[in-house]
Structure formats: C-alpha cells, structure tokens
Amino acid sequence: FGGFGKYCVPGKVLFFTSISGGTKTIGFESAIADLKQRGVNSIVYSPEWVDGADSIEMAAREAQRYSGLAYEDTLSLLFWQQSHEGERPVSHADIASTTARSQFASKFPGQEFYITDKGLSVQALCSVVDNLCKAETAKGARPSVFFVDFAQLLWLENDNRQRLWIETAIGLIKDCCSRNGLVGFISSQMKKADAELAKGGVVLDSGMMQWLSEQQANFVFAFAPKLDEKGQRESYVNADGDTIYGLRGRVLKNSMAALDS
C-alpha cells in the first residue's frame, strides 16, 4: 500500500471500509493469520464471531486458509450426522487433513488473543486491551496489532448522544494503541446508499464511510466486489480448484508514505 507498512509506527490507526458482506472480516482474518505466521501477536475484537456457529465458521475459515476442510463441508457433515440421509458424509481423509492443517497453523510463532466479551463500551474495551497487553508482555508475547471489527459496534459510556461521539471513540482507541505500542486496524461499513453505488462500479471515496472521517486515520483503504459486464462478481479458478472472487480496492489516504499517484 504505497510503502505504508514499511513506515507505519505504533499508535497509528488504519481504516478498512467496504460494503456489508464485502469480506472485511475475512480480510482481517487473513491479515491476522499472515502476521501470526511471521511471529506477530494480535489482539482481536470481533464480537459478532466469538460464539456459537459463528465461531465454528471462523475456525473453519482458519483451517481452510491452509487447504483444510471448508465450512460448507463441515455443515454437510453435521447435517448428514443428524439425518443419516441426503448429504453424503465428509470423508475421513478430509477430516484428517483439516486436523493436520489446524495443527500446522497452531505451530506458527505468533498468537492471536480474541476478546470474547460482547457489547463492550470503548472505555471497557480499552481497559481489557491494557490488561491483556500487560499480562501477555510479562509472558514474553507482547501484542503488536489491534483489530476492531467493526466501527459500527462501538459505543461510549455516558455519551449523551454527542454529535461527535465517534471521534471521541476513535480517539480513545488511538490513545490505547499509543499507550501499548499497537498499530490499530478498524473496519467500517459504507453508508447503505453509497454501498449500492459502489456495487455498481462507482469510484470509492472517503465520504462513503459510515460515521467516520478520514481525519481520524493515518491510512484508509476501501474495497468492493469486482463485477463483470452482467453485474455478477468476477471470479476465476486457481490451480488448486478454488474459486477466487475479485475485489477492487483504492487507497483513500496515506499519511506516512509517498505515493507515486
């Protein structure tokens, strides 16, 4: 992204914005996994994905990232076990492969620390991060990155419906990142009307972010599905037989590194 990653320093906050269902969460999970593989420890606040079926889906995506069993195959297995008819059972080889892939991922030098409390205020969230950083640093696993998925789930204690509450919320998170030597990533949805425009190929701009101002971030990256002439998502099949869907992205702000264009 124009050299930003090379020059980014702790205490900075980066926004990733997309339409609803635009793979923000999967994008974050891919980044967390890549950092983990490089020995970087991350703190993750993703309250929509920490319990029940959602957590199973998240775990399945982790295994699938290393060619393990897909979430859809896991569902097929569960349905077959319940009904003993209809869907074919998933083979033992596939299940064994997933176990091996999960064990492979568990050996990465980095760790991810998921905050499993749901519905935390920003003040409570920052307090949890402070305590987590202190505890894990004492164990020799200092976190370096803080992921928040997503901005629209943030809320302030006693905000009295302040008109600029989101600026205060992001300010508290930036202070928390600076205090603990973290780089912050916050995902955000686009405003609904603008999201529909983005689906149709309209060029993305920072004004499409719901509630957020680009002044609060050091880096802003927006992305949306790439569509063909029929309005369908562009895709191709790679050498492993996986279907890859296209995205189009745009850097909307980069305050740390020079861009050629």
Side-chain angles (χ1 to χ4, degrees):
F1 299 126
F4 184 93
K6 183 177 180 179
Y7 298 106
C8 190
V9 296
K12 302 300 180 184
V13 170
L14 301 80
F15 289 160
F16 272 47
T17 184
S18 180
I19 63 173
S20 179
T23 70
K24 294 185 296 297
T25 296
I26 293 174
F28 268 16
E29 289 175 356
S30 298
I32 294 162
D34 189 55
L35 291 169
K36 183 179 177 182
Q37 199 162 358
R38 298 171 188 227
V40 177
N41 303 317
S42 302
I43 297 174
V44 187
Y45 182 58
S46 186
E48 287 193 327
W49 295 92
V50 293
D51 57 11
D54 291 331
S55 63
I56 296 171
E57 183 174 346
M58 182 169 62
R61 287 199 297 265
E62 171 80 357
Q64 189 181 11
R65 212 165 266 115
Y66 312 108
S67 302
L69 194 64
Y71 179 59
E72 289 76 12
D73 293 330
T74 307
L75 286 181
S76 295
L77 172 63
L78 293 174
F79 287 140
W80 181 84
Q81 288 174 333
Q82 290 171 1
S83 64
H84 297 285
E85 59 185 19
E87 298 288 343
R88 290 181 58 194
V90 177
S91 72
H92 291 292
D94 282 341
I95 296 173
S97 169
T98 290
T99 303
R101 295 295 176 175
S102 298
Q103 291 173 346
F104 166 72
S106 71
K107 291 181 173 63
F108 290 161
Q111 299 182 59
E112 68 265 65
F113 305 107
Y114 283 91
I115 298 174
T116 56
D117 300 300
K118 304 184 74 168
L120 292 174
S121 67
V122 174
Q123 290 92 334
L125 176 62
C126 291
S127 178
V128 170
V129 171
D130 288 340
N131 292 332
L132 192 55
C133 284
K134 184 177 180 180
E136 296 304 329
T137 298
K139 298 175 187 176
R142 185 182 76 81
S144 299
V145 187
F146 179 29
F147 290 90
V148 177
D149 184 28
F150 51 99
Q152 283 69 35
L153 297 177
L154 298 174
W155 62 279
L156 287 172
E157 296 172 9
N158 304 317
D159 70 344
N160 298 319
R161 298 197 176 273
Q162 295 175 25
R163 200 166 65 86
L164 300 178
W165 74 271
I166 191 66
E167 282 86 346
T168 304
I170 300 299
L172 290 173
I173 289 175
K174 290 191 78 166
D175 290 344
C176 180
C177 288
S178 181
R179 205 164 47 239
N180 295 292
L182 302 168
V183 174
F185 286 81
I186 301 178
S187 65
S188 172
Q189 292 186 2
M190 293 177 182
K191 290 177 283 190
K192 288 189 176 181
D194 290 331
E196 291 303 315
L197 294 174
K199 289 179 186 177
V202 168
V203 175
L204 307 168
D205 65 59
S206 57
M208 290 178 169
M209 292 187 296
Q210 190 178 43
W211 302 338
L212 299 180
S213 163
E214 67 173 12
Q215 298 307 311
Q216 300 162 267
N218 302 95
F219 178 92
V220 181
F221 180 72
F223 56 98
K226 195 172 184 181
L227 306 179
D228 59 23
E229 61 276 2
K230 297 180 180 178
Q232 303 297 313
R233 289 194 66 175
E234 283 191 6
S235 65
Y236 68 94
V237 178
N238 66 11
D240 296 325
D242 301 316
T243 300
I244 308 298
Y245 292 96
L247 292 173
R248 53 191 175 86
R250 186 181 183 205
V251 175
L252 305 179
K253 180 183 180 181
N254 187 342
S255 66
M256 296 284 293
L259 288 169
D260 294 331
S261 61

